[in-house]
Amino acid sequence: MGTFLRRLSTPDLYRVVVAALVVLGLGAGIAGLATERYRSSRMADIVEVSGPLSVVAQDLYRSLSDADATAANAFLANGVEPAGLRQRYLDDVARASSGVTVALRDADDENAKRLRVIAGQLSVYTGLVETARAYNRLGVPLGGAYFREASALMRQTLLPAAQELFESAQGRLIAAQRNAAGFPWTVVLLSLLMLGSLVAAQVLLSRRTNRTWNLGLVAASLVAVVLLVWSSSALSVAGGRVESGNQDGSAVSSLLAGAHRAALQARADEALTLIARGSGAAYEQDYKAVSKNLDGLLGNALDAAPDGDKAKIQLARSYAQRWLDLHEKMRDTDNGGDYLGAVRLATETGSDTLTDTFGKLDTAMTGALATTNDRVDRQAGDASSAVTGLAVGLIVGTIGLLAAILLGFRPRIGEYR
């Protein structure tokens, strides 16, 4: 290669250098623009698709699970269900139906199948619940069997589909965050190579023409420096904000969503154990397993959360512990032979009751989840702001850089005509 260049005449050497600089300039500009466009599309996906879908999936699971737990507690009222519980159940079902409709807008084929399963089986579930209610109002024990069948449908079909939907949406969200984060090494390396090549070209011209500076190449070098600093800093800042949204938002959100699912499942187990009247040992065992998981997930979320979120998670954890203590009191009452007393403890309202404490736990976890979900959305929005105007700047800057290179070499090549 060196021998080939030495054999070239000076104007031909200049033409080779210009061609090389143009190719490098185009490569650096295209790499910067492609990186900006790709990362912007990932950030837009976070804000407009995967982030909202993840939130809808969380709320869908919560609505379905809470509907089952609420219906179970209302069933324990033996035909005189509290109006508040009935309305909460109806609200949960309506919210779940609405969530399915919203999620279908952005769902892929696999998630659309899951949503169609939920939509189809939800009507079957509500039909079973209404049959159980009718028998329960008449005092017919068959109502308990219908309700257990409804709850089994919820646990074995509806909730698994909702959880798969959340895991898919959360996986897409985390993948989008990962692709939008990180240092733009390709852009920086190509820009540095471009800048180094411009310096080398300036040295070549200086030696061949005895002119210290070439204004065209000086201008091109300044443009290259501006584009390097702007693109690397903007993309790095944007990537850092998305990464923050991942670590302090999505990661914590996954733990809190898991804890919320465990709490809702345990609440349903609590009521189903009583509905089974002596044959609910399996439900109680499940309660113990998921309540242990609940405490572990809340502990992990507390460790992973930023300082500003710790108080909310700690509050939820304290409510969870108080709820577990009240549950043990209720189970001791039932195991002691006082079934009606256990039902009263499970269904009574008022301060520091099972119903009141779980309601506070549910509210605290919903609030903590809303905070982390908002952080994901806000950080992605801030990241998008960091690269505002960069695409236009790269296009204009690259054109200016190429023009400066051509203007810098044109007079020197013309001298040999």
Side-chain angles (χ1 to χ4, degrees), residues 90-407:
L90 293 175
D91 290 343
D92 282 333
V93 171
R95 189 159 47 245
S97 298
S98 176
V100 169
T101 303
V102 172
L104 276 170
R105 292 202 300 257
D106 296 317
D108 56 21
D109 291 342
E110 286 300 314
N111 285 331
K113 291 179 183 178
R114 297 179 179 117
L115 288 165
R116 283 192 288 269
V117 168
I118 294 173
Q121 293 301 308
L122 182 58
S123 60
V124 177
Y125 169 82
T126 55
L128 290 169
V129 169
E130 293 308 308
T131 302
R133 288 180 65 239
Y135 280 120
N136 195 36
R137 285 196 301 270
L138 295 173
V140 178
L142 188 60
Y146 270 98
F147 189 83
R148 287 192 294 274
E149 183 180 352
S151 188
L153 176 63
M154 176 66 75
R155 289 163 173 257
Q156 296 170 14
T157 302
L158 289 164
L159 291 180
Q163 183 169 348
E164 289 172 2
L165 173 67
F166 170 73
E167 290 172 351
S168 174
Q170 193 74 351
R172 176 175 173 175
L173 171 60
I174 292 172
Q177 290 174 320
R178 183 172 58 249
N179 291 333
F183 188 77
W185 286 109
T186 301
V187 176
V188 171
L189 291 176
L190 282 175
S191 297
L192 287 174
L193 180 60
M194 180 72 234
L195 189 58
S197 299
L198 286 169
V199 172
Q202 178 71 59
V203 171
L204 173 67
L205 284 178
S206 177
R207 289 177 177 176
R208 295 273 178 144
T209 65
N210 293 320
R211 292 182 177 90
T212 304
W213 303 107
N214 180 285
L215 294 180
L217 292 185
V218 170
S221 299
L222 291 175
V223 172
V225 169
V226 170
L227 291 180
L228 169 62
V229 173
W230 186 7
S231 60
S232 61
S233 60
L235 292 171
S236 296
V237 169
R241 289 174 179 171
V242 172
E243 181 63 27
S244 176
N246 183 8
Q247 293 180 354
D248 296 338
S250 299
V252 179
S253 177
S254 294
L255 293 169
L256 287 174
H260 206 183
R261 290 195 300 270
L264 291 164
Q265 183 175 339
R267 178 62 169 162
D269 284 331
E270 188 173 68
L272 287 167
T273 302
L274 292 174
I275 291 173
R277 301 199 68 163
S279 59
Y283 294 120
E284 179 60 18
Q285 288 300 317
D286 190 63
Y287 174 92
K288 291 179 179 178
V290 295
S291 61
K292 183 178 180 180
N293 189 35
L294 165 63
D295 185 66
L297 287 168
L298 284 175
N300 291 338
L302 189 63
D303 293 337
D307 292 340
D309 291 1
K310 290 186 182 295
K312 294 180 180 180
I313 299 174
Q314 185 58 56
L315 178 63
R317 200 178 188 187
S318 67
Y319 285 138
Q321 185 56 57
R322 179 56 183 160
W323 176 48
L324 296 177
D325 293 341
L326 291 171
H327 173 84
E328 289 303 315
K329 179 181 178 181
M330 183 268 290
R331 291 307 316 146
D332 290 342
T333 302
D334 187 29
N335 293 333
D338 186 3
Y339 173 78
L340 293 179
V343 170
R344 178 181 57 79
L345 290 174
T347 58
E348 67 182 348
T349 58
S351 179
D352 200 34
T353 59
L354 271 167
T355 300
D356 174 67
T357 303
F358 181 81
K360 291 177 178 177
L361 169 61
D362 184 47
T363 299
M365 296 191 69
T366 299
L369 270 169
T371 298
T372 57
N373 290 330
D374 179 68
R375 180 176 294 109
V376 172
D377 185 68
R378 186 176 66 253
Q379 294 287 31
D382 291 345
S384 296
S385 298
V387 295
T388 299
L390 179 58
V392 174
L394 284 168
I395 293 172
V396 174
T398 300
I399 293 173
L401 181 139
L402 298 179
I405 291 171
L406 294 174
L407 291 174

